[in-house]
């Protein structure tokens, strides 16, 4: 690799205080309420860096994958250095494109002392890469270099840059870390192209998994088909298949695809942190094996010191185990390494919701909207919060109207399930019909068909014949799901609700009870309370009020159990209204 235009300077600078990305703000409505530890002031580590997206300087703008790939590889190399703090790709990729960069502001937003930026130009089989290291606290240029090499040497080039940056920041490299930096990801640049294309897609998985995951998986399959030894691609393929499994394609075939990718990673590099992390995701999503996943994470954390997924997944596991405070601590550690990851921030908000700590949940939503004011999903969730917390439908109703007026254009969000909840809470059958998606909607890994929701509306209107017809159609659909998702409690509990709507009391109770057995709270502290709530609803619909109130009382004491606003307003619970036991449970959940 030929180098020229070298510029160096001292990397040490005066440590300053900055906003780390964790917000401190007064919460509304309660005097003296504690605040979420979100933008707490703390010293920025001197050995900290964000690698911003490299600019594509090639005449062919289709070569952007090469700039993305070099930046991604340098970032991955630095993230695996234990003596450094490196910000995750999800956060830094938000600075890609023709956005004017104020490096001091970016440093404050990401909580780092240093920023690396650069550009990549390809001409035929030659590549030129420039890289510049800046002290984000002072705007001082510390180091810069331009490299010129053959395309086939591009991974040697990225290793040189990563080692040079570690040296400038005086970060100690262990022999294993130095070896990892020098290892090329693949020798097939076309496979690398597929891999980076998939990673760019997977950055958006927090918004539309059903649309994004299949093409990303297809790209990764092409990558490993070209290079069966492409370790990082196998790890990404395992994660993507596992994520698709847990978010909708809950089939043995999808889980088998994930496990095949994990096994391929183990054959290539059994001791790598990424291998243990891929196995941890698979054990968590695919098997609900929390102890096994935690053991894999313990191994992964020794080799992946700056990988936010390690803390993120540990947070999710602790949440499923009912250890909510530990879950929050780990999710906040993840956001320290990935401070502009909207999905992780949304998950922190979800955790506060599970604990019914709604003021803090609202504060997290405010932070998300400060990063991305047009994030429609967060706007909807913040409006839904008022319904859940205070049984107020007006904010959600107004937002729903504005979204429809905008005709679901950019910057808005298809209100979907949330619009159905709002319309049902207001007992507006016409608005409920308008909000229904022909495909139904999913919630917490459970799918509700359009036919089921039609039955709920007809039941609310006391149109018995329409309700029976809709529930009969819904039953045929749900039976197919139960047959393909065997021993999956939430799907079986929906079948129980349908049978309750049809008056099949014995079947409904058997299915509802079996669902609780299949997914006890001890096994899953998130979906476990959901199937208890479904059993209570089943009992209410078939006239078993004692059982309904008993199960509701249990759910009311659990995180992610029944929610005040929905219990108070939704028609599902109408058979229990007026029962003193039910009214007492509702009152116990009301805002104080």
């Amino acid at each position: 690799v030929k180098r020229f235009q070298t510029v160096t300077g001292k990397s040490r600078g005066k440590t300053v205080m900055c906003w780390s990305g964790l917000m401190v703000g007064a919460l509304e409505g309660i005097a003296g309420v504690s605040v979420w530890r979100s933008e707490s002031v703390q010293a920025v580590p001197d050995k900290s860096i964000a690698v911003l997206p490299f600019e594509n300087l090639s005449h062919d703008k289709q070569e952007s994958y090469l700039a993305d790939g070099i930046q991604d590889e340098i970032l991955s190399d630095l993230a695996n250095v234990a003596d450094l703090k490196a910000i995750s790709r999800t956060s830094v990729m938000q600075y890609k494109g023709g956005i004017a960069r104020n490096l001091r502001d970016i440093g404050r937003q990401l909580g780092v002392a240093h920023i690396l930026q650069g550009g990549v130009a390809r001409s035929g089989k030659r590549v030129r890469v420039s890289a510049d290291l800046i002290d984000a606290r002072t705007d001082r240029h510390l180091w810069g270099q331009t490299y010129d090499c053959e395309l086939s040497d591009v991974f040697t080039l990225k290793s040189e840059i990563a080692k040079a940056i570690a040296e400038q920041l005086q970060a100690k490299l262990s022999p294993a870390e130095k070896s990892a930096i020098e290892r090329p990801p693949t020798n097939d640049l076309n496979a690398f192209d597929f891999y980076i294309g998939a990673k760019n897609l997977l950055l958006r998985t927090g918004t539309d998994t059903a649309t994004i995951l299949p093409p990303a998986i297809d790209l990764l399959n092409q990558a490993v088909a070209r290079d069966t030894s492409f370790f990082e691609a196998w790890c990404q393929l395992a994660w993507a298949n596992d994520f698709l499994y847990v978010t909708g394609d809950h089939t043995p075939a999808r889980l088998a695809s994930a496990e095949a990718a994990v096994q391929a990673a183990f054959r290539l590099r059994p001791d790598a942190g990424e291998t243990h992390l891929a196995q941890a995701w698979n054990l968590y999503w695919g098997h609900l094996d929390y102890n096994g996943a935690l053991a894999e994470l313990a191994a992964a954390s020794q080799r992946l010191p700056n990988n936010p997924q390690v803390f993120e997944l540990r947070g999710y596991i602790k949440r499923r185990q009912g250890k909510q405070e530990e879950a929050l601590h780990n999710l906040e550690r993840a956001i320290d390494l990935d401070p502009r990851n909207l999905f992780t921030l949304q998950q922190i908000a979800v955790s506060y919701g599970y604990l019914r700590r709604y003021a803090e949940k609202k504060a997290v939503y405010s932070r998300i909207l400060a990063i991305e004011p047009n994030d429609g999903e967060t706007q909807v969730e913040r409006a839904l919060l008022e319904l859940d917390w205070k049984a107020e439908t007006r904010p959600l109703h107004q937002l729903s109207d504005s979204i429809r007026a905008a005709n679901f254009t950019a910057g808005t969000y298809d209100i979907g399930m949330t619009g159905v909840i709002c319309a049902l809470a207001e007992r507006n059958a016409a608005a409920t019909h308008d909000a229904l998606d022909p495909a139904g909607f999913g919630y917490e890994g459970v799918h509700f068909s359009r036919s089921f929701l039609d039955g709920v509306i007809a039941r609310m209107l006391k149109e018995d014949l329409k309700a029976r017809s809709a529930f009969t159609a819904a039953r045929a659909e749900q039976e197919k799901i139960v047959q393909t998702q065997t021993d999956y409690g939430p799907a079986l509990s929906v079948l129980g609700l349908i049978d309750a709507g049809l008056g099949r009391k014995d079947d409904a109770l058997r299915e509802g009870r079996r669902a609780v057995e299949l997914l006890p709270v001890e096994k899953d502290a998130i979906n476990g309370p959901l199937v208890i709530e479904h059993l209570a609803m089943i009992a209410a619909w078939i006239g078993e009020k004692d059982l309904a109130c008993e199960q509701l009382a249990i759910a009311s004491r659990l995180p992610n159990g029944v929610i005040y606003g929905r219990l108070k307003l939704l028609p599902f619970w109408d058979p229990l209204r007026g029962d003193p036991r039910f009214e007492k449970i509702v009152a116990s959940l009301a805002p104080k």
Side-chain angles (χ1 to χ4, degrees):
V1 179
K2 184 180 179 182
R3 294 172 292 181
F4 39 97
Q5 293 183 357
T6 302
V7 181
T8 60
K10 294 182 179 179
S11 63
R12 305 291 281 181
K14 182 180 179 182
T15 301
V16 297
M17 303 298 287
C18 82
W19 297 106
S20 73
L22 294 176
M23 182 175 74
V24 173
L27 302 175
E28 300 175 15
I30 306 175
V33 71
S34 63
V35 296
W36 182 51
R37 299 181 300 276
S38 32
E39 276 178 347
S40 58
V41 179
Q42 62 180 0
V44 173
D46 192 58
K47 297 180 184 181
S48 58
I49 189 167
V51 182
L52 299 188
F54 278 28
E55 186 179 358
N56 175 27
L57 302 175
S58 304
H59 294 299
D60 184 356
K61 297 308 174 186
Q62 298 302 314
E63 297 287 350
S64 62
Y65 85 92
L66 187 60
D68 289 344
I70 291 174
Q71 177 250 2
D72 180 66
E73 284 297 306
I74 294 170
L75 173 54
S76 297
D77 287 341
L78 295 176
N80 288 337
V81 177
D83 200 31
L84 279 177
K85 173 187 175 182
I87 297 301
S88 177
R89 190 169 188 255
T90 308
S91 289
V92 298
M93 288 302 283
Q94 296 176 24
Y95 301 100
K96 184 180 180 180
I99 302 171
R101 291 174 175 175
N102 183 315
L103 297 186
R104 288 196 183 196
D105 285 346
I106 292 174
R108 284 192 291 268
Q109 291 164 3
L110 298 178
V112 294
H114 301 93
I115 287 174
L116 181 71
Q117 58 182 356
V120 178
R122 176 181 174 180
S123 178
K125 293 184 178 181
R126 302 289 297 177
V127 178
R128 175 170 289 188
V129 178
S130 61
D132 293 282
L133 180 66
I134 311 297
D135 187 323
R137 301 161 296 187
T138 63
D139 274 336
R140 184 184 175 201
H141 191 273
L142 302 177
W143 172 91
Q145 198 151 283
T146 297
Y147 299 78
D148 187 50
C149 72
E150 294 290 329
L151 184 61
S152 57
D153 291 329
V154 71
F155 295 127
T156 302
L157 181 153
K158 68 90 184 175
S159 299
E160 286 202 25
I161 295 175
K163 287 187 290 186
I165 297 304
E167 181 181 353
Q168 288 297 314
L169 299 184
Q170 300 182 13
K172 298 175 183 178
L173 289 180
S174 70
E177 290 168 346
K178 183 174 182 292
S179 176
I181 288 175
E182 293 172 347
R183 181 189 296 118
T186 177
N187 291 318
D188 188 319
L189 286 172
N190 288 321
F192 190 68
D193 186 4
F194 291 134
Y195 169 72
I196 291 299
K199 287 195 76 173
N200 286 344
L201 278 176
L202 292 173
L203 287 172
R204 296 158 46 207
T205 49
T207 57
D208 188 2
T209 56
T211 301
I212 291 165
L213 285 171
I217 289 170
D218 181 60
L219 287 170
L220 291 166
N221 277 322
Q222 292 181 70
V224 297
R226 290 191 62 93
D227 181 1
T228 57
S229 64
F230 195 164
F231 171 74
E232 287 88 351
W234 283 115
C235 292
Q236 285 291 321
L237 185 59
W239 183 89
N241 275 301
D242 273 324
F243 196 24
L244 187 55
Y245 173 79
V246 79
T247 55
D249 187 4
H250 203 84
T251 60
R254 181 60 60 191
L255 184 59
S257 295
E259 290 172 345
V262 172
Q263 290 307 311
F266 265 111
R267 285 193 296 271
L268 290 167
R269 288 163 58 186
D271 297 326
E274 293 87 351
T275 302
H276 290 289
L277 181 57
Q279 176 75 316
W281 280 113
N282 182 256
L283 291 171
Y284 169 67
W285 274 333
H287 302 279
L288 301 184
D289 181 357
Y290 304 140
N291 290 332
L294 287 173
E296 294 294 333
L297 282 179
S301 65
Q302 296 176 18
R303 300 166 178 84
L304 302 174
N306 289 300
N307 193 315
Q309 282 197 18
V310 172
F311 299 99
E312 180 188 4
L313 178 51
R314 188 178 289 124
Y316 297 156
I317 294 170
K318 295 297 183 181
R319 196 160 69 180
R320 296 276 175 184
Q321 291 179 321
K323 300 174 182 178
Q324 303 299 332
E325 293 298 336
E326 286 187 58
L328 275 170
H329 174 76
N330 278 281
L331 290 173
E332 288 172 352
R333 181 72 182 94
I335 212 66
D336 183 49
L337 293 166
D338 200 0
R340 295 177 76 82
N341 188 318
L342 301 189
F343 183 78
T344 304
L345 284 167
Q346 288 164 347
Q347 290 304 307
I348 290 173
V350 166
S351 278
Y352 279 122
Y354 290 158
L355 291 168
R356 302 187 180 92
R357 288 162 58 177
Y358 296 118
E360 288 138 307
K361 182 175 184 177
K362 189 172 183 177
V364 180
Y365 285 146
S366 294
R367 176 178 172 186
I368 294 172
L369 292 173
I371 295 171
E372 180 47 73
N374 294 323
D375 186 67
E377 183 175 356
T378 300
Q379 292 172 354
V380 170
E381 290 297 327
R382 187 171 64 172
L384 177 62
L385 172 62
E386 299 300 320
L387 187 154
D388 289 344
W389 183 7
K390 303 172 184 176
E392 294 179 2
T393 62
R394 180 177 295 181
L396 188 56
H397 187 124
Q398 291 175 338
L399 183 60
S400 178
D401 288 346
S402 69
I403 288 175
R404 290 193 187 92
N407 199 26
F408 303 109
T409 55
T412 65
Y413 172 74
D414 187 340
I415 202 164
M417 177 202 72
T418 314
V420 173
I421 291 172
C422 181
L424 285 173
E426 295 180 337
R427 308 303 174 105
N428 188 329
T432 306
H433 274 295
D434 290 344
L436 290 179
D437 189 299
F441 64 77
Y443 173 69
E444 295 283 13
V446 182
H447 179 75
F448 296 93
S449 68
R450 170 66 185 260
S451 299
F452 172 78
L453 296 167
D454 284 336
V456 169
I457 297 169
R459 181 183 175 91
M460 178 177 71
L461 297 174
K462 303 189 184 308
E463 296 175 342
D464 295 341
L465 290 177
K466 285 186 178 181
R468 172 165 289 278
S469 176
F471 283 133
T472 299
R475 192 177 201 284
E477 296 178 61
Q478 193 65 23
E479 273 192 311
K480 293 178 182 177
I481 293 174
V482 170
Q483 288 169 4
T484 59
Q485 299 182 7
T486 56
D487 295 332
Y488 185 53
L492 187 59
S493 72
V494 174
L495 183 61
L497 285 169
I498 295 168
D499 279 337
L502 289 169
R504 301 170 56 140
K505 295 185 178 182
D506 292 342
D507 289 336
L509 274 179
R510 174 176 51 79
E511 290 151 356
R513 291 184 188 278
R514 177 60 177 156
V516 174
E517 292 173 0
L518 288 170
L519 198 64
V521 173
E522 295 76 16
K523 188 175 182 180
D524 187 341
I526 302 306
N527 282 341
L530 182 65
V531 294
I532 292 175
E533 182 180 346
H534 286 176
L535 177 57
M537 198 180 297
I538 289 167
W541 286 16
I542 64 175
E544 295 286 345
K545 292 187 177 182
D546 291 347
L547 177 61
C549 291
E550 170 195 296
Q551 296 300 310
L552 271 181
I554 294 171
S556 70
R557 296 189 292 268
L558 296 170
N560 200 35
V562 289
I563 298 171
Y564 168 69
R566 303 189 200 190
L567 203 59
K568 184 176 178 64
L569 298 177
L570 293 180
F572 303 120
W573 306 107
D574 285 355
L576 298 180
R577 302 204 186 281
D579 188 303
R581 296 167 296 180
F582 174 78
E583 300 301 340
K584 182 179 179 181
I585 293 169
V586 175
S588 73
L589 296 171
K592 305 299 186 291

